[in-house]
Amino acid sequence: AQTVTQSQPEMSVQEAETVTLSCTYDTSESNYYLFWYKQPPSRQMILVIRQEAYKQQNATENRFSVNFQKAAKSFSLKISDSQLGDTAMYFCAFMKHGGANTGNQFYFGTGTSLTVIP
Amino acid sequence: ETGVTQTPRHLVMGMTNKKSLKCEQHLGHNAMYWYKQSAKKPLELMFVYSLEERVENNSVPSRFSPECPNSSHLFLHLHTLQPEDSALYLCASSQEATTNYGYTFGSGTRLTVV
């Protein structure tokens, strides 16, 4: 079974500073995908960044980047130049392919609540 | 406009009531999902529909009944719920059930069972 662990229930960061959110996962799969989703108070889950396990290069999206360590099964999210709008719950997610009849299998962590302090 | 619209945004219902949650997407996606989000717990997948056919039912109690009349609409019919069913119910969609690109989520319906 796949599990996703986010060990930091709450974090805070000063505006303009950098923060790293941790995520580890457990799987026996060799090909899979990893995601970070953001859920602001509006409640909509928004995709922040996506990583394909077969790619060694870490994904980057503007101020968001990941540190993907496949052997260690670690997938941390770094937010640079934090902004007030980054305040949200952040969920790490693991996805493996399912069959055409069952679809993919998504596994989410319990989330990290990030507060950006002015 | 999020692409995936859920109504109502909030719902309070008694344990003997019958209500329905609605989800609508006009992204041209072929797969739709219902998730349950409870505090301090991972998101729980409830149902998966691909091309309007249910392909996944994660041991969800029968008091939750999904319906997918077409690829743009998904409903979750609720009856005789329990207080522990209070949660945020999220709808999501994807191009197909085997997509590599993750899901587009709605803003959820906050359900309170009294």
Side-chain angles (χ1 to χ4, degrees):
Chain A
Q2 276 64 225
T3 58
V4 178
T5 301
Q6 293 179 251
S7 59
Q8 305 151 315
E10 296 181 0
M11 294 190 71
S12 62
V13 62
Q14 209 70 33
E15 192 175 8
E17 297 294 309
T18 295
V19 64
T20 299
L21 310 184
S22 66
C23 173
T24 58
Y25 58 94
D26 188 24
T27 184
S28 59
E29 303 284 329
S30 59
N31 190 24
Y32 49 87
Y33 298 82
L34 296 163
F35 301 82
W36 277 98
Y37 277 91
K38 166 186 176 181
Q39 187 178 40
S42 65
R43 302 185 327 210
Q44 188 203 1
M45 298 271 278
I46 302 165
L47 179 63
V48 174
I49 201 164
R50 168 182 171 271
Q51 174 80 42
E52 297 156 334
Y54 63 86
K55 288 188 175 179
Q56 291 187 337
Q57 186 174 6
N58 289 326
T60 299
E61 289 287 341
N62 301 313
R63 298 182 295 107
F64 299 87
S65 61
V66 298
N67 183 5
F68 174 46
Q69 301 289 327
K70 190 171 184 179
K73 296 179 183 174
S74 170
F75 183 61
S76 61
L77 175 70
K78 185 172 82 171
I79 307 174
S80 304
D81 185 26
S82 297
Q83 300 175 0
L84 297 179
D86 295 334
T87 293
M89 281 288 288
Y90 287 81
F91 292 92
C92 179
F94 167 100
M95 185 188 80
K96 67 171 186 173
H97 276 298
N101 292 330
T102 59
N104 293 338
Q105 301 290 316
F106 247 105
Y107 301 86
F108 287 85
T110 52
T112 296
S113 177
L114 177 67
T115 301
V116 179
I117 302 167
Chain B
E1 178 58 49
T2 68
V4 177
T5 303
Q6 290 188 244
T7 54
R9 188 164 172 80
H10 300 273
L11 178 63
V12 178
M13 59 185 290
M15 289 189 283
T16 58
N17 290 160
K18 289 184 180 181
K19 296 287 185 182
S20 296
L21 310 185
K22 180 181 176 182
C23 177
E24 186 172 353
Q25 59 91 8
H26 295 288
L27 301 169
H29 289 173
N30 292 319
M32 296 186 76
Y33 312 82
W34 279 116
Y35 277 88
K36 177 182 179 182
Q37 184 179 14
S38 304
K40 296 183 171 40
K41 294 175 69 174
L43 269 70
E44 301 171 51
L45 177 64
M46 300 176 73
F47 301 104
V48 179
Y49 275 83
S50 177
L51 297 172
E52 301 156 41
E53 290 193 15
R54 190 191 311 181
V55 297
E56 184 89 17
N57 176 352
N58 266 5
S59 302
V60 179
S62 60
R63 56 186 183 269
F64 295 91
S65 175
E67 178 190 3
C68 187
N70 55 62
S71 60
S72 298
H73 295 85
L74 184 65
F75 295 89
L76 188 62
H77 304 299
L78 317 170
H79 64 97
T80 59
L81 294 192
Q82 304 298 310
E84 60 264 28
D85 297 322
S86 297
L88 181 67
Y89 288 84
L90 291 168
C91 174
S93 70
S94 63
Q95 182 64 43
E96 53 194 34
T98 55
T99 181
N100 295 336
Y101 294 97
Y103 303 159
T104 302
F105 283 86
S107 297
T109 294
R110 174 73 65 189
L111 174 67
T112 304
V113 181
V114 296

